[in-house]
Amino acid sequence: FDASPPTPVRKAIVTISDSVTQYDLPEFEPGIYLSFGNIAGIPGTEYTLTVETDGKVYTARSVMPYPPVIDSINFSQDPDDPLLFHIRLYAPESPVPGNHYFFGVFREGLNMSDNLTKLVFASDQLINGQYLFGLPVQTVEAKPGARITLQMAAIPKDFFEYSLAILRVTVYNDNPFEQAPANVPGNISGNALGFFYAYAEARETRI
């Protein structure tokens, strides 16, 4: 087990491509590679991540799901904490089975769910094709009048399972006698850690 931050990979060649176009991701900060301009993915398209570094090539693939639809959101105040609000979703769930989601939340434009432990994950196993009428999907601490945005992201099944596997061996495991967890395998070749995934989202904002 090593709690220290990972060493950034410097001066790598990083690209994302589909069957037609290749996008180069230059290094903006040590180990941080970003695309130029506004690049939007196309639902149903498979994207390939390629990383070349130290004479090795790592690849991963992901198909972008189709985006969900949000009709509206509202809030209910927690009975025990006047500054905690439950976000309720009004939206049609796709009749096509096998969808997976995560729900994030922004307060005044600031991402309040910036890691796996703060996201809420769900599948359509019990709600396939139903209308979600006031379903509680996230919580946020806020003062009255704050601008709150709900993020609903359609994600690939393999990333959904990967995320739950990480949470099971970290957050959800409170057994002090359990052996140290092994690294959860991702979808990047060469036994590299991490996961590459494409997702499509909808957002709804309300004060």
Side-chain angles (χ1 to χ4, degrees):
F1 176 77
D2 187 356
S4 60
T7 302
V9 176
R10 300 298 313 276
K11 299 180 179 180
I13 300 174
V14 181
T15 63
I16 294 177
S17 60
D18 55 27
S19 60
V20 177
T21 307
Q22 175 176 294
Y23 305 97
D24 297 323
L25 281 67
E27 185 175 15
F28 279 76
E29 298 178 16
I32 304 296
Y33 299 82
L34 302 174
S35 61
F36 278 120
N38 295 321
I39 299 175
I42 301 174
T45 301
E46 181 180 75
Y47 292 93
T48 300
L49 171 71
T50 303
V51 179
E52 300 181 37
T53 180
D54 293 334
K56 297 180 180 179
V57 178
Y58 301 91
T59 61
R61 293 177 174 83
S62 182
V63 176
M64 176 176 283
Y66 287 85
V69 175
I70 297 178
D71 284 343
S72 64
I73 59 173
N74 65 19
F75 311 107
S76 60
Q77 193 174 46
D78 189 272
D80 299 319
D81 185 346
L83 295 181
L84 183 65
F85 292 86
H86 301 271
I87 304 175
R88 298 184 178 275
L89 171 69
Y90 296 80
E93 207 283 320
S94 170
V96 179
N99 294 299
H100 300 81
Y101 307 99
F102 72 65
F103 295 92
V105 61
F106 294 75
R107 185 182 65 202
E108 303 294 355
L110 180 64
N111 190 356
M112 307 303 295
S113 45
D114 55 0
N115 64 58
L116 288 182
T117 65
K118 298 177 182 179
L119 294 170
V120 174
F121 291 88
S123 75
D124 68 351
Q125 185 174 4
L126 299 178
I127 58 172
N128 178 241
Q130 299 182 26
Y131 190 86
L132 309 180
F133 191 85
L135 181 69
V137 293
Q138 259 288 6
T139 58
V140 62
E141 291 186 359
K143 296 180 180 179
R147 188 178 181 87
I148 303 300
T149 299
L150 176 70
Q151 174 194 31
M152 180 179 182
I155 59 176
K157 179 182 179 181
D158 53 359
F159 178 67
F160 174 82
E161 294 174 342
Y162 171 81
S163 300
L164 293 189
I166 288 180
L167 294 173
R168 276 194 293 267
V169 299
T170 55
V171 178
Y172 302 152
N173 186 0
D174 58 359
N175 183 357
F177 303 104
E178 186 74 23
Q179 65 181 7
N183 291 321
V184 176
N187 67 340
I188 304 174
S189 67
N191 295 320
L193 300 179
F195 207 96
F196 169 69
Y197 70 102
Y199 70 92
E201 67 170 37
R203 296 190 184 192
E204 183 70 16
T205 300
R206 184 170 177 176
I207 297 175

